[in-house]
Each structure stands twice: as C-alpha cells, then as structure tokens.
Amino acid sequence: EEIADFIQHRDGGTTVRPDPNDLFMTNGASAGIEMILTALIADSMCGVMIPIPQYPIYSATIDLLGGHKVGYYLDEKRCWDLNMEELERSLADARSKGIKVNSFVLINPGNPTGQVLSESAVQDVVKFCAKHNLVLLADEVYQDNIYDPDLSFTSCKKAAHDTGLLQNDELELVSFHSTSKGLFGECGRRGGYMELVGFDETVKAHIYKLASSSLCSTVSGQIMTSLMVRGPKPGDESYESHEAEKRAIFESLQRRSALVSRGLNDIPGFSCQPAQGSMYCFPSVTIPQRAIEEAQEQGTTPDTLYAISLLERTGICVVPASGFGQEEGRYGFRTTFLPSEKAMEQAVKDVREHHEYFCQKYE
C-alpha cells in the first residue's frame, strides 16, 4: 500500500494508483531483474535489447539464461542520449537473423553513463516498445539522483500514461526501484520492488510462482523500502532532521558530480560527459598505441591494463569500460563519486598525474 501511494505521488497523481497485487517486494532491484529475465528467456533464440554501455547484470544474466543480447548504442556525443534510428536498426538487424526479440531494457538515469533522459525521449521509448510488442524493463533505481537543475525524472509509467498507452492497454512494463541507490545507499539491506503494468493475469500468476520459489524478501529490506517510499511526514518528530540529512547528502552528491565530471574532462586525452544523474562518470580515455599492443600481448583489454596501472600507482579503483560494452576503438572506465568531496578532489589530481605517467611510459 505504501509503495502504491509512493508511485502515484511520484507521478503527480496523473497515473492510476497501482494495485498492490501488481507490486513485488524484492531483495534489491537485482532479484526482480533476474526474475523477469528468467520469465522472458525461454530458449536460445530469445533476445533482449540492452543499452551499450549498460550495467552488467543484464548481459551476464542473459548469457546465463542462454539468450541473445541485442545491443543498442547510446550517443556519447549527445550526452549518452537515445537515438530512435539506432533502436530501429538494432531491432531490425536482430530479427533478420531470426532472433525473437521480446523485451527492451531502459536504464534511466543511466548506469554507467549518468545521463537523464528527457520526457520526450522516455515517451519515444514507450511508443517504440508498444509498436514492436516488446516488454519494457525500466531500471529506475537512480530516480532520486538528478543533479542538473534543468532536468527531471520521468518514469516510464507516466510516459505510458501521457501517451495513452496505459489507458489503451498497449504496453507491458516492469519498473524497478531499490534502496541501494538514491539518498539512502543501503546496498546491504537488500530492499526494493518491481511493479507489473499491462500484464495478462496468466503471466502474472506464473511470475508470482517464480517469486514464491524464493520465499519472501528480507525483513530488513522490506523495512528499508517502507522508509524509502514513506518517510517521516511534516509535523513528525524526525521530519526536520530527516529532510536536512537528505538535502545535505543530495547537495554534496550534486557538487561531486560536477567536480569529477569537469575535472576528468579537463585532463588532456580525456573526454567526460556531464554526470546529470546517478552516481557515476564514464570518461573515454585516449590510450597510446604501444599500451594497446601491450594489452593484446597480455591477453587483456587496453582499459583493463590502464585501470590496473591506475590502481597500482594511486590506489584508485575504477572499472574498465570494456566491462560495460562500448563502441569499437573506445577505451575508458567508470568511476563513482561517492567518497567525500575532499577525497574526490585529490582523486582527480591523482588520475591526471597517472595519465601523464602512463602516456610517457608507453610513448
């Protein structure tokens, strides 16, 4: 009931209040994602459209279940925006190979890319999925992490309502949320939920069976989810302190997002799009040819070689961009900006120093 109230309030009261029977509490968003992918991938010819770059739970789970990854590239030059021609190209190419593409993953705000999609872009996605009869998996776990004051979060459910798809029952949508992100960051509590929209009752019954096989989500996770969607109300004893702490966390994250994205972008040989949301920067890095050849000799990727060098020289741990997928010939890494502002200032300086060292070493 509390989650249903939260969703309706989040969307400005414009969408229909969810039926609590369509809400599944999960051990973080990951458990829900794995559950839905398990239901979708029936055999080796089933395909799921996923963004490139993307959070690896999707590619890894699709591989585990024996399905096909159908990648669509985000446009880095346009701050990792969507390109509808690219979506059509990707889908047509997969179907021409006999792949039964049945679903589409949208991560908004983006991980690892940090973009926040406009309202019109989200509407384009829901219309695309309805047009091609694709189940839409909406990964919306960073919906509270919007740092650009000119941007706002638009849920896929609201976009479906505003385009008439919800009312006409033209879209199957699963949205995910989690206590691990946002302003709570309680990863270890394993709290989250998913909402089913537009699903046939028989399909919902099978998903319910699948969920029941894992029993219930953890009690601590359920408590955290309740606190996330409900929280203290004005007049409650803890309301003022709770809001003050949330505001302080958000404003610090907002400053860090700008500090890190601008700082990395200012390093010669780096290009880093603004971190409009989520918790990450995903810069591209120019790597010397000799380093690329050295990586090939070692049987690894150039950005893995770079990340290990950065770790050994500075103690900074980043994730090679190759782990998320990227265009051929691009190299880089994903970094969070979760440590303190002081620590991130020093980290940017250390990354700059390391890049100069790395380039000199492999000149």
Side-chain angles (χ1 to χ4, degrees):
E1 294 288 348
E2 291 172 350
I3 296 170
D5 290 340
F6 166 80
I7 292 171
Q8 187 176 34
H9 177 74
R10 178 199 65 190
D11 293 335
T14 57
T15 58
V16 176
R17 185 179 186 273
D19 181 343
N21 291 319
D22 293 335
L23 296 166
F24 292 70
M25 298 188 74
T26 56
N27 291 324
S30 300
I33 291 165
E34 291 169 2
M35 192 186 309
I36 295 300
L37 288 176
T38 299
L40 286 166
I41 299 175
D43 56 49
S44 61
M45 293 310 295
C46 288
V48 181
M49 293 187 69
I50 58 174
I52 300 177
Q54 50 83 35
Y55 179 47
I57 189 175
Y58 295 100
S59 55
T61 305
I62 294 166
D63 285 343
L64 178 66
L65 296 169
H68 272 278
K69 302 185 294 291
V70 179
Y72 63 90
Y73 287 94
L74 302 177
D75 190 342
E76 184 171 8
K77 292 184 176 64
R78 295 172 56 232
C79 205
W80 301 109
D81 202 358
L82 288 169
N83 182 320
M84 298 311 296
E85 291 181 1
E86 167 62 10
L87 301 192
E88 295 286 357
R89 178 209 64 77
S90 174
L91 178 61
D93 180 63
R95 287 183 168 170
S96 71
K97 297 173 182 175
I99 299 171
K100 297 178 291 186
V101 184
N102 62 15
S103 48
F104 182 100
V105 173
L106 180 69
I107 308 175
N108 179 46
N111 177 8
T113 44
Q115 85 281 15
V116 177
L117 296 179
S118 67
E119 181 179 32
S120 62
V122 180
Q123 290 178 354
D124 285 341
V125 169
V126 298
K127 288 187 284 189
F128 174 83
C129 291
K131 172 185 174 183
H132 294 290
N133 196 29
L134 302 174
V135 177
L136 174 54
L137 281 66
D139 186 331
E140 299 175 336
V141 300
Y142 295 101
Q143 58 190 259
D144 289 330
N145 301 97
I146 313 290
Y147 309 123
D148 188 326
D150 295 325
L151 298 173
S152 60
F153 171 74
T154 300
S155 73
C156 285
K157 186 176 184 182
K158 185 177 189 301
H161 175 274
D162 293 347
T163 53
L165 299 174
L166 205 64
Q167 300 89 317
N168 297 329
D169 197 23
E170 296 181 69
L171 179 70
E172 292 173 299
L173 163 68
V174 192
S175 61
F176 306 95
H177 198 11
S178 170
T179 64
S180 299
K181 316 302 180 187
L183 305 178
F184 288 83
E186 291 284 356
C187 302
R189 300 289 184 181
R190 310 312 302 145
Y193 70 81
M194 65 180 184
E195 180 190 8
L196 305 185
V197 177
F199 278 77
D200 181 85
E201 289 299 326
T202 303
V203 176
K204 284 199 292 188
H206 283 294
I207 293 173
Y208 185 85
K209 290 179 185 177
L210 190 58
S212 298
S213 68
S214 299
L215 305 180
C216 66
S217 57
T218 64
V219 172
S220 60
Q222 291 185 47
I223 293 170
M224 284 305 306
T225 302
S226 173
L227 291 172
M228 177 182 73
V229 300
R230 179 172 51 86
K233 295 181 176 59
D236 289 351
E237 186 175 352
S238 59
Y239 176 76
E240 295 296 337
S241 60
H242 182 265
E243 291 302 300
E245 185 172 355
K246 282 177 62 178
R247 187 166 53 251
I249 292 171
F250 175 82
E251 290 174 354
S252 179
L253 283 169
Q254 188 176 44
R255 290 191 296 270
R256 280 176 273 170
S257 69
L259 184 158
V260 177
S261 57
R262 291 172 186 168
L264 294 178
N265 193 57
D266 286 343
I267 299 173
F270 274 59
S271 176
C272 186
Q273 297 297 320
Q276 300 170 331
S278 75
M279 298 174 175
Y280 312 104
C281 290
F282 196 68
S284 65
V285 181
T286 301
I287 293 181
Q289 183 60 36
R290 277 193 58 213
I292 295 172
E293 294 167 358
E294 172 72 17
Q296 291 171 343
E297 291 175 7
Q298 293 185 18
T300 190
T301 64
D303 43 19
T304 298
L305 180 75
Y306 187 93
I308 291 173
S309 174
L310 179 65
L311 176 63
E312 292 176 341
R313 187 167 178 85
T314 68
I316 296 172
C317 183
V318 297
V319 183
S322 52
F324 302 91
Q326 58 190 334
E327 290 187 342
E328 187 72 25
R330 182 195 189 275
Y331 308 110
F333 59 80
R334 185 193 78 169
T335 181
T336 71
F337 39 81
L338 293 177
S340 70
E341 293 174 55
K342 183 177 181 181
M344 293 313 304
E345 286 179 5
Q346 185 59 49
V348 170
K349 294 177 183 177
D350 291 343
V351 170
R352 176 187 287 269
E353 184 276 333
H354 168 265
H355 188 65
E356 294 171 354
Y357 155 80
F358 189 88
C359 290
Q360 291 173 1
K361 178 180 178 181
Y362 288 103
E363 274 184 353

